[in-house]
Amino acid sequence: MTSPWWRGAIIYQVYPRSFLDTDGDGIGDLAGIVEKMGYIASLGVDALWVSPFFKSPMKDYGYDVSDYRAVDPMFGQDSDADRLIEAAHDHGLKLIIDMVLAHSSDRHAWFEESRVSRDNSKADWYVWADPKPDGTPPNNWLSVFGGPAWQWESRRRQYYLRHFLKSQPNLNWHNPEVVRAMMGEVRFWLDRGVDGLRLDAITTMVHDQALRDNPPLPAGGQSDVAGTPDNPFTYQEHRHSRDRPEIMERFAELRSLVDRYPDRFLMGEIADVDTIAVSAKYTKGSGALHSCYNFQFTHEAFDRAHLTSVVSRTEHALEDGWITYAFGNHDVMRAVSRWRRLTPLASDDRALAKLLMACLFSLRGGACLYQGEELGLTEADIAFEDLRDPWGIEFWPRFKGRDGCRTPMPWQSDAPAGGFTEGTPWLPLAEDHRPLAVDRQEADAESPLNFCRRFLAWRKARPALLAGDIAILETTDPVFAFERSREDERLVCAFNIANAETTIEAGDWTPLPAPGIASTLRDGRLTLPPFGTFFGRVGDLSSAVSLLDKGIEKV
Ligand code: BGC
């Protein structure tokens, strides 16, 4: 049986507002993605995931959908969605759209009806609850974007649940009519020809009907998973508000719908829970999601211990499930900026960008590459007056929100707005992105962009990297290393997570010419330059024994 396409797939994430604007309104559009489809394909990725482009009041920049079937006019016409799907397929790419199933916009017709009374036809389509006798919200659940997870509606004299903005009411997935309606929205896009769905904030889809209070995390145990260290949301264990057991029934229904179409893919976004355990649970067996995507690598820690621990725990938990890794996305600080701060010496961002791609593309699993990561883009510094993200505005200045990773793609270094738009971009182009623009990197054989292309082309010919098992090697800091093996191919992959040369004891390895910052193997010692990588063949079977003696942890 051949492996499904999404096993080992590299998925390029496009944030459409900031990719390419073709009509001069300062906001990227679907025609811009179509125009750049050749560029996306040239990277060597297998698929693209496009963040929401559906009709929306854009309070959360598209993650607040008011019509699941319509393209928002700022992104184009409905027919542009067909052109997008067709262009992706013409270039041999799969197309994944972003479905926001857990909540809609408060401007969705369903909610506009639901909120006016307690007895209309959509009255029970969202999560409504009476206040406590003292008028306060029904329980202690908090919104990740700040404040209680409940919003008052005076016409019903009730609160509605919203895990994010008050303009993002949660749908009531305990109501069979809602399930039917939402399955219809999914079917609409499957019929249209999309190959996969990225399921937004999926753990928030089903709530505890008893509305029990969430317990506090043990003192000192505040998680920073949500990225805002001063957010009271991080003081709670979200036991009753997220990842409810009933969600598995909803997944089974979703999966049986998706399975009626060949080769389709469901990928859940997992945050603010025990993400490894939940990713494993949601991808176990044939009646759930195909893969999950989580935030284990989108926060501070960037060292051998963290990488080792996440990959080992994930592999132990996964069983027959599947994971998709990401180092960055439209919700977190750019990886190069986030992680260079942790290196002891002034960082070489180009080298770090290459190291990150080599490492991400070599792990066992799928991988998401966020637009601009192939260029090594850094986090843009946005002035308060230019902030657009409501989360950043709420928590500024300690947390500046997500605009810094959402600035326009720099296509041409010398063009106004970097060639992103002929108008005024919705977020300013970061001036320090100009030297990193695509045109400059195209012309530079050693650029991160050309590295990405070479590496992915090289990876395609390595079955062990595409579909092999993984075993973490016990190395010394700062080197993160593992073995990938499939049938008769056994590869060792080693990454120097520091901006300083380092030497480790080598195994029975033969260097393999590979794109990257080459390392030297001599007299049983492997010397990796700053942010250097090493790929090698592992010797014959007897070396497996000697490697095990050296403490390889088989996972
Ligand atoms: C998306 C965010 C969005 C949130 C609410 C997420 O996880 O990635 O961009 O703000 O869901 O929809």
Side-chain angles (χ1 to χ4, degrees), residues 13 15 49 51-52 60-64 98 100 102-103 144-145 163-165 168 198-202 204 269-272 293 295 329-331 389-391 402 406:
Q13 184 196 348
Y15 192 67
W49 142 34
S51 283
D60 191 20
Y61 298 102
Y63 284 93
D64 48 327
D98 209 321
V100 191
H103 52 263
V144 59
F145 285 163
H163 288 292
F164 297 92
L165 297 173
Q168 292 170 299
R198 178 251 189 204
L199 306 174
D200 183 67
I202 200 64
T204 65
E269 181 211 25
I270 312 296
D272 306 320
Y293 148 84
F295 285 70
N329 60 33
H330 65 292
D331 287 332
D389 180 14
W391 198 8
R402 302 167 291 179
R406 296 176 174 181

Side-chain angles (χ1 to χ4, degrees), residues 311-333:
V311 176
S312 307
R313 285 186 293 131
T314 302
E315 289 293 327
H316 279 296
L318 270 184
E319 300 182 35
D320 60 341
W322 192 249
I323 195 79
T324 302
Y325 288 111
F327 287 172
N329 60 33
H330 65 292
D331 287 332
V332 296
M333 182 187 278

Side-chain angles (χ1 to χ4, degrees), residues 244 330 526:
R244 299 302 307 159
H330 65 292
L526 175 67

Side-chain angles (χ1 to χ4, degrees), residues 414-490:
D414 298 328
F420 161 70
T421 179
E422 288 179 0
T424 307
W426 76 284
L427 276 175
L429 178 89
E431 283 304 312
D432 51 1
H433 287 178
R434 286 189 185 278
L436 303 174
V438 172
D439 63 342
R440 292 264 187 106
Q441 298 211 19
E442 297 268 10
D444 171 0
E446 297 310 315
S447 66
L449 171 60
N450 280 318
F451 169 78
C452 175
R453 290 170 171 156
R454 276 201 305 277
F455 193 91
L456 288 181
W458 177 79
R459 176 183 183 270
K460 283 205 166 79
R462 306 257 83 82
L465 287 186
L466 294 172
D469 293 338
I470 189 166
I472 304 289
L473 303 189
E474 259 193 23
T475 49
T476 46
D477 278 327
V479 178
F480 174 53
F482 48 82
E483 219 184 276
R484 299 290 312 272
S485 54
R486 185 180 159 92
E487 291 160 9
D488 55 354
E489 188 181 40
R490 273 180 72 194

Side-chain angles (χ1 to χ4, degrees), residues 65-388:
V65 179
S66 56
D67 183 342
Y68 288 93
R69 299 183 181 208
V71 170
D72 193 277
M74 73 174 55
F75 291 128
Q77 302 178 345
D78 288 352
S79 56
D80 288 321
D82 297 316
R83 289 177 54 214
L84 178 73
I85 297 166
E86 204 178 292
H89 292 165
D90 287 350
H91 284 84
L93 299 170
K94 304 285 186 185
L95 186 85
I96 298 168
I97 58 166
D98 209 321
M99 286 299 277
V100 191
L101 301 179
H103 52 263
S104 74
S105 158
D106 61 347
R107 305 297 296 277
H108 195 294
W110 299 338
F111 188 72
E112 286 184 334
E113 184 178 349
S114 187
R115 73 187 311 172
V116 294
S117 68
R118 295 187 185 204
D119 53 12
N120 63 74
S121 75
K122 302 286 182 296
D124 193 30
W125 280 43
Y126 290 82
V127 184
W128 293 100
D130 292 333
K132 284 187 180 160
D134 63 0
T136 55
N139 66 20
N140 72 352
W141 298 353
L142 294 171
S143 159
V144 59
F145 285 163
W150 297 97
Q151 190 64 33
W152 181 248
E153 168 53 69
S154 44
R155 281 169 287 186
R156 290 181 58 136
R157 284 195 283 141
Q158 279 187 312
Y159 284 96
Y160 63 84
L161 178 65
R162 51 100 177 184
H163 288 292
F164 297 92
L165 297 173
K166 65 180 185 192
S167 51
Q168 292 170 299
N170 248 71
L171 282 147
N172 178 12
W173 278 82
H174 292 288
N175 179 344
E177 287 179 25
V178 170
V179 176
R180 254 195 315 280
M182 292 305 280
M183 294 295 166
E185 308 302 66
V186 169
R187 195 175 323 110
F188 174 83
W189 285 102
L190 293 171
D191 286 340
R192 201 94 176 249
V194 303
D195 302 287
L197 310 175
R198 178 251 189 204
L199 306 174
D200 183 67
I202 200 64
T203 59
T204 65
M205 185 163 94
V206 183
H207 66 286
D208 173 35
Q209 284 184 295
L211 301 183
R212 282 168 287 187
D213 276 345
N214 279 330
L217 282 172
Q222 289 97 344
S223 75
D224 76 339
V225 170
T228 49
D230 303 321
N231 188 347
F233 173 86
T234 62
Y235 291 36
Q236 280 185 6
E237 184 200 326
H238 308 287
R239 189 186 298 169
H240 302 300
S241 49
R242 282 166 165 68
D243 177 37
R244 299 302 307 159
E246 301 89 337
I247 202 169
M248 300 310 291
E249 293 160 36
R250 304 287 89 88
F251 289 160
E253 287 155 337
L254 205 50
R255 179 65 182 267
S256 86
L257 168 61
V258 166
D259 280 349
R260 287 188 227 147
Y261 299 76
D263 288 340
R264 307 298 160 101
F265 174 55
L266 287 173
M267 173 172 75
E269 181 211 25
I270 312 296
D272 306 320
V273 290
D274 178 348
T275 57
I276 292 179
V278 170
S279 300
K281 180 171 70 177
Y282 287 5
T283 60
K284 190 168 163 10
S286 56
L289 308 181
H290 297 103
S291 186
C292 279
Y293 148 84
N294 67 42
F295 285 70
Q296 289 290 335
F297 288 139
T298 60
H299 294 283
E300 292 293 306
F302 180 53
D303 53 30
R304 183 195 57 80
H306 182 62
L307 289 159
T308 299
S309 142
V310 170
V311 176
S312 307
R313 285 186 293 131
T314 302
E315 289 293 327
H316 279 296
L318 270 184
E319 300 182 35
D320 60 341
W322 192 249
I323 195 79
T324 302
Y325 288 111
F327 287 172
N329 60 33
H330 65 292
D331 287 332
V332 296
M333 182 187 278
R334 290 256 179 210
V336 165
S337 300
R338 186 172 2 109
W339 283 340
R340 74 164 170 223
R341 299 183 303 174
L342 306 179
T343 58
L345 303 168
S347 174
D348 173 351
D349 291 348
R350 270 165 75 100
L352 176 55
K354 293 179 192 175
L355 174 94
L356 295 181
M357 285 190 271
C359 183
L360 180 67
F361 299 154
S362 301
L363 289 169
R364 176 178 178 270
C368 290
L369 183 73
Y370 177 49
Q371 71 183 38
E373 284 185 320
E374 75 279 22
L375 306 175
L377 292 191
T378 49
E379 181 80 355
D381 195 18
I382 312 271
F384 181 73
E385 351 19 300
D386 289 327
L387 287 189
R388 297 300 202 97

